């Protein structure tokens, strides 16, 4: 029997994946996996199980009443999990924390395969993992820093489900993880929890604009990997801005995606006034009007807080309201959902 993979993304960013049979309701599949999604009547009457389907196709049947889910709500993508029978893989945003559903993050271990420095700017950390983790492209994990009680959060820069995971990590001089990475040997064990985060690629139904600041490039590499896999008929433009010339890393990967993802284009820019780069300035200064598609665009941004503020201000000045704006702010050593 066919089954579909359902991602349940809880309000606190925790994400759990469950397999749902071809004729099974999402609520039942979650329950089978010991996840108690919000519910009361289980009969399409109370509306307690209302969630938002972020992507995927499904059948809601006609056994529920309008008081539980109105036609407008259904048209907006709201669903009743006690009625919803998936017809494809789906992502469902659950409007309560994972703990309220008696579930939480998964823990897993991995071994260091390689640590590749990019000058003094960043590291690529490559890990081997036995049971390849599944995540939504754009999400992150918390990685425990060996020898400490602390963890750091990093977005995957690799594809979901791969046995080799990669992360792009800013080199913070004297930073806990940066210092460990500088001396890390292949084979070292790392522990992580996740996947986490609400910053992930939604169903692609209109043009996309990706704005990456520094190592905020990482989640986009994972999203582009997914776009290369699933294909897309929508234009995807990325503006990748960094502080210094040497912070511009993994540009070859973007060039490779420009060949593999139809409609994908990108530009880079460097903020340092002393740069020799052909585009000096911030991403807002190198954002062509056509990349905004008069607002018919889904914008994704991962970068430091001032970049998020600057981009929001830029949209206001331009009189543009994007169809959606998803962002993840991070500081040097602690990305935050
Ligand atoms: Fe009552 Fe789904 S649990 S409508």
């Amino acid at each position: 029997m066919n089954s579909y993979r359902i991602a349940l993304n809880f309000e606190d960013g925790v994400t759990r994946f469950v397999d749902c049979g071809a004729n099974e309701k999402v609520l039942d599949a979650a329950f089978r996996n010991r996840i108690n999604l919000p519910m009361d009547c289980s009969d399409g009457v109370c509306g307690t199980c209302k969630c938002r389907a972020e992507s995927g196709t499904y059948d809601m049947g006609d056994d529920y009443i309008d008081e539980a889910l109105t036609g407008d709500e259904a048209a907006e993508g709201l669903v009743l999990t006690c009625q919803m029978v998936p017809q494809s893989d789906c992502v469902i945003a659950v409007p309560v924390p994972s703990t309220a559903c008696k579930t939480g993050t998964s823990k897993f271990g991995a071994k260091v395969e390689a640590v590749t420095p990019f000058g003094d700017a960043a590291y690529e950390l490559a890990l081997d993992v036995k049971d390849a983790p599944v995540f939504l492209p754009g999400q992150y994990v918390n990685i425990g820093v060996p020898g400490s009680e602390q963890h750091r959060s990093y977005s995957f820069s690799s594809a979901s489900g791969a046995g080799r995971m990669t992360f792009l990590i800013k080199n913070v001089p004297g930073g806990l993880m940066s210092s460990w990475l500088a001396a890390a040997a292949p084979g070292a064990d790392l522990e992580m929890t996740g996947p986490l985060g609400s910053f992930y690629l939604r169903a692609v139904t209109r043009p996309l604009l990706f704005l990456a600041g520094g190592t905020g490039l990482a989640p986009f590499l994972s999203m582009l990997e997914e776009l290369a896999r699933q294909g897309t008929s929508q234009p995807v433009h990325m503006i990748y801005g960094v502080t210094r010339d040497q912070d511009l890393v993994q540009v070859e990967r973007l060039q490779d995606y420009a060949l593999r993802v139809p409609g994908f284009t990108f530009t880079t820019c460097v903020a340092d006034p002393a740069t020799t780069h052909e585009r000096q300035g911030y991403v807002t200064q190198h954002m062509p009007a056509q990349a905004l598609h008069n607002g018919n665009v889904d914008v994704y941004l991962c970068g430091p807080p001032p970049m998020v503020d600057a981009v929001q201000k830029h949209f206001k000045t331009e009189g543009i309201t994007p169809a959606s704006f998803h962002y993840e702010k991070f500081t040097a050593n602690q990305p935050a959902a």
Side-chain angles (χ1 to χ4, degrees), residues 250-297:
Q250 299 220 314
V251 175
E252 358 30 81
R253 257 183 91 172
L254 296 179
Q255 286 162 342
D256 182 48
Y257 289 125
L259 300 174
R260 292 168 56 205
V261 180
F264 174 62
T265 52
F266 73 97
T267 54
T268 52
C269 57
V270 179
D272 185 354
T275 182
T276 53
H277 192 272
E278 57 183 318
R279 282 172 297 277
Q280 189 274 325
Y282 295 99
V283 294
T284 47
Q285 295 167 277
H286 299 284
M287 196 181 293
Q290 61 268 30
L292 295 173
H293 300 271
N294 289 320
N296 182 35
V297 62

Side-chain angles (χ1 to χ4, degrees), residues 7-332:
L8 299 168
N9 181 245
F10 297 93
E11 197 186 38
D12 51 2
V14 170
T15 304
R16 293 288 312 273
F17 290 82
V18 299
D19 286 328
C20 189
N23 296 311
E24 194 174 21
K25 291 171 178 161
V26 169
L27 185 71
D28 298 335
F31 192 67
R32 209 166 30 75
N33 286 273
R34 297 170 197 273
I35 300 170
N36 298 350
L37 289 179
M39 60 83 78
D40 192 358
C41 68
S42 183
D43 221 11
V45 174
C46 68
T48 309
C49 65
K50 202 179 293 175
C51 291
R52 177 176 296 280
E54 300 272 13
S55 68
T57 54
Y58 48 86
D59 181 13
M60 283 288 297
D62 47 18
D63 289 340
Y64 64 91
I65 63 171
D66 205 51
E67 282 73 16
L69 185 76
T70 66
D72 285 352
E73 288 175 324
E76 256 181 58
L78 294 179
V79 292
L80 300 173
T81 58
C82 74
Q83 302 298 306
M84 174 186 185
V85 177
Q87 293 173 328
S88 75
D89 292 350
C90 293
V91 178
I92 298 175
V94 183
V96 296
S98 56
T99 45
C101 301
K102 299 205 169 19
T103 186
T105 46
S106 312
K107 286 190 193 312
F108 56 100
K111 283 192 186 301
V112 172
E113 184 209 280
V115 178
T116 309
F118 296 104
D120 70 349
Y123 292 100
E124 184 186 66
L125 170 64
L127 302 178
D128 277 330
V129 60
K130 234 197 302 169
D131 296 317
V134 182
F135 54 88
L136 300 172
Q139 288 195 305
Y140 68 92
V141 283
N142 290 332
I143 304 183
V145 186
S148 84
E149 293 296 304
Q150 297 191 44
H151 69 260
R152 293 288 182 265
S153 309
Y154 299 111
S155 304
F156 294 93
S157 63
S158 50
S160 168
R164 182 179 189 268
M165 303 183 291
T166 59
F167 302 89
L168 180 62
I169 297 178
K170 183 177 170 65
N171 182 12
V172 181
L176 200 59
M177 184 60 101
S178 295
S179 304
W180 186 82
L181 286 171
D189 288 307
L190 284 174
E191 301 241 305
M192 50 201 78
T193 51
L196 289 155
S198 305
F199 183 73
Y200 54 84
L201 185 66
R202 270 56 178 189
V204 183
T205 56
R206 56 173 72 83
L208 302 180
L209 176 61
F210 288 172
L211 304 173
T215 49
L217 177 68
F220 294 110
L221 296 173
S222 184
M223 291 183 190
L224 285 162
E225 201 56 57
E226 174 61 20
L227 289 173
R229 188 191 67 78
Q230 73 180 31
T232 175
S233 56
Q234 299 289 347
V236 183
H237 186 63
M238 171 186 276
I239 310 171
Y240 170 29
V242 298
T243 307
R244 311 168 305 162
D245 289 338
Q246 60 266 43
D247 297 331
L248 215 44
V249 302
Q250 299 220 314
V251 175
E252 358 30 81
R253 257 183 91 172
L254 296 179
Q255 286 162 342
D256 182 48
Y257 289 125
L259 300 174
R260 292 168 56 205
V261 180
F264 174 62
T265 52
F266 73 97
T267 54
T268 52
C269 57
V270 179
D272 185 354
T275 182
T276 53
H277 192 272
E278 57 183 318
R279 282 172 297 277
Q280 189 274 325
Y282 295 99
V283 294
T284 47
Q285 295 167 277
H286 299 284
M287 196 181 293
Q290 61 268 30
L292 295 173
H293 300 271
N294 289 320
N296 182 35
V297 62
D298 290 327
V299 180
Y300 292 78
L301 185 162
C302 184
M307 181 176 168
V308 178
D309 297 341
V311 167
Q312 280 174 325
K313 208 167 136 199
H314 180 74
F315 289 156
K316 219 171 169 183
T317 311
E318 296 293 306
I320 293 287
T321 306
S324 71
F325 183 30
H326 309 276
Y327 60 84
E328 180 152 78
K329 295 179 180 178
F330 72 90
T331 52

